[in-house]
Amino acid sequence: MPRTTVAIQIPRFGSPEVMEEREIPLPDPGPGELHLKVGASGINFADLLQRVGLYGKVPDLPYAPGFEVAGEVVRVGPDVEGWKEGDRAVALLRFGGYAKDVIVHTEQTFPYPESLTPAEAAGIPVVFLTAWVCLFETGHARKGDTALVLGAGGGVGTAAVQLAVDRGLRVFGTAGNAGKRTFVVEELGAEACFDSRGAWGDELLATLGGNPGLDIALDPVGGPATKAIRGLLNPLGRVVFYGMSEAMPGRKRSWPKAALARFRTGSIHPLSLVVPNQGVFGVHLLYLKEKEAIMRPALEEIFQGVADGRWKPIMDRTFPLDQDGAVEAHRFLHDRKNLGKVVLEAPA
Ligand SMILES: NC(=O)c1ccc[n+]([C@@H]2O[C@H](COP(=O)([O-])OP(=O)(O)OC[C@H]3O[C@@H](n4cnc5c(N)ncnc54)[C@H](OP(=O)(O)O)[C@@H]3O)[C@@H](O)[C@H]2O)c1
């Protein structure tokens, strides 16, 4: 009898309610593969973009989103070394993580510390790796640099603030409510956090003494924010652009709003970078597979840093790993309510 599992799929593009729980075939693990029983599945802003149909290349519908899971190895395929039944593992996927079981290659799989729950472990890989690549691989952050993290209260944002503070940077953030702003300063160590819906550019400029002074800016927002940031950079300052949340202000796709966000982000001519000595870098984690030599050690260091208490996954809340849980989780992120990470959790 062929095995099956239950996945939460996107059958058509639309608002959170389109997601459906379905029984799907579960293949046996092939050479180098593991079968993980999923304990928790991380939710990312990109899942929302996928669900509304604003995310570039995706599988044919229907498919389950989900870039990261934590769980237990229940079957080991042929030619697998170093993994056995009962091991705890996190896995990075291109899609398919909203499911009770996944088949993953050991190349995508990492052990995680015993001190973490599956929900905490599932909330680490995407946001910490993104923050790591933006700050250290592309932003070349150095001790003493001044950094701005937009969306500092979100998943990537809370990871980025922690990594930057730990590296000895002077860190500023933006966030959309007072609770997030207080947390970013008091718990994560940023110097100040400004209202993302207010005049944060002017406030930051005043805080910097009236002179542009950013060495690094992490920009996942786009639109006018990107232009504002460029005016705040020091000579040799770097913008790392890794998302355009401005393109999705609601729970459904709106082509006019997405096009407006793109238009308002503007185009950057290389010549315009010369006199101000600026750099602009783009990052997309999904297309860094060939950089495994960077990613695997980075994730090992991230999990070691978490185990040592240098930084921690900031968890807002978990929702059940089922259709209703996924719908509620997506609504929660759309409403910009989350402080840190939201995760779908299987029953114990
Ligand atoms: N390129 C990559 O490889 C990569 C990887 C991971 C994430 N990302 C991007 O990084 C960003 C953060 O991802 P995440 O998973 O950490 O998301 P998240 O936890 O939901 O945080 C996103 C934050 O962005 C702000 N935001 C939400 N909707 C917005 C909108 N329509 N306009 C402006 N700001 C908005 C909100 O902050 P406030 O309301 O507090 O301002 C929210 O807390 C997303 O844009 C995502 O696509 C890119």
Side-chain angles (χ1 to χ4, degrees):
M1 181 96 164
R3 284 176 199 251
T4 60
T5 188
V6 172
I8 299 130
Q9 295 192 321
I10 302 170
R12 61 188 182 283
F13 299 130
S15 56
E17 300 73 31
V18 298
M19 287 188 287
E20 273 179 20
E21 199 168 287
R22 291 180 175 187
E23 197 167 343
I24 57 166
L26 184 72
D28 291 329
E33 290 182 336
L34 303 170
H35 170 182
L36 296 188
K37 171 85 39 218
V38 175
S41 178
I43 302 265
N44 288 284
F45 193 83
D47 306 346
L48 279 55
L49 291 168
Q50 290 191 352
R51 198 207 65 241
V52 300
L54 275 177
Y55 191 81
K57 207 171 162 196
V58 292
D60 291 338
L61 299 173
Y63 75 95
F67 293 116
E68 55 193 347
V69 296
E72 186 186 321
V73 177
V74 289
R75 286 187 297 159
V76 176
D79 308 326
V80 167
E81 286 176 16
W83 290 98
K84 60 178 187 329
E85 256 177 60
D87 283 348
R88 288 180 320 278
V90 289
L92 274 165
L93 304 95
R94 293 186 79 80
F95 59 90
Y98 291 15
K100 309 243 173 194
D101 304 82
V102 292
I103 304 294
V104 286
H105 199 278
T106 52
E107 284 172 3
Q108 307 157 246
T109 315
F110 308 80
Y112 67 87
E114 267 178 42
S115 55
L116 296 178
T117 64
E120 288 169 329
I124 289 175
V126 170
V127 295
F128 270 89
L129 267 178
T130 304
W132 184 283
V133 171
C134 290
L135 282 169
F136 305 135
E137 299 298 338
T138 56
H140 297 291
R142 282 177 297 224
K143 189 175 175 179
D145 278 351
T146 299
L148 171 66
V149 177
L150 297 186
V156 178
T158 52
V161 172
Q162 291 184 75
L163 293 176
V165 168
D166 180 72
R167 193 56 78 93
L169 276 75
R170 186 180 181 199
V171 182
F172 297 97
T174 66
N177 68 43
K180 292 190 203 179
R181 292 193 286 276
T182 303
F183 187 88
V184 167
V185 173
E186 293 185 1
E187 302 295 325
L188 304 183
E191 189 170 319
C193 190
F194 307 104
D195 186 352
S196 54
R197 300 167 206 235
W200 54 265
D202 295 338
E203 292 167 40
L204 176 56
L205 189 62
T207 308
L208 294 171
N211 297 313
L214 292 179
D215 300 298
I216 303 170
L218 302 196
D219 179 5
V221 176
T226 307
K227 282 186 186 153
I229 281 175
R230 288 190 64 203
L232 291 165
L233 287 182
N234 250 333
L236 302 182
R238 290 85 72 195
V239 180
V240 184
F241 190 77
Y242 61 103
M244 200 163 69
S245 46
E246 174 93 4
M248 191 176 56
R251 291 182 178 181
K252 283 186 180 170
R253 178 175 67 190
S254 157
W255 286 121
K257 285 178 182 157
L260 182 65
R262 201 185 167 106
F263 173 74
R264 295 195 334 154
T265 304
S267 307
I268 297 173
H269 194 284
L271 260 183
S272 73
L273 303 171
V274 174
V275 169
N277 286 284
Q278 290 182 352
V280 180
F281 217 111
V283 165
H284 199 318
L285 213 57
L286 269 192
Y287 296 89
L288 278 175
K289 191 174 182 302
E290 51 285 1
K291 288 283 179 191
E292 206 190 329
I294 292 170
M295 307 288 271
R296 188 165 275 274
L299 203 53
E300 277 166 15
E301 200 172 331
I302 288 163
F303 274 115
Q304 190 58 53
V306 171
D308 296 345
R310 277 170 76 194
W311 41 72
K312 54 182 185 266
I314 305 302
M315 301 289 300
D316 187 303
R317 66 191 62 190
T318 63
F319 292 88
L321 178 58
D322 58 26
Q323 178 175 318
D324 291 345
V327 169
E328 283 307 319
H330 276 218
R331 286 181 183 147
F332 194 68
L333 253 72
H334 276 296
D335 294 346
R336 300 167 72 161
K337 287 183 179 158
N338 59 304
L339 169 51
K341 193 78 190 177
V342 170
V343 169
L344 300 178
E345 195 175 28

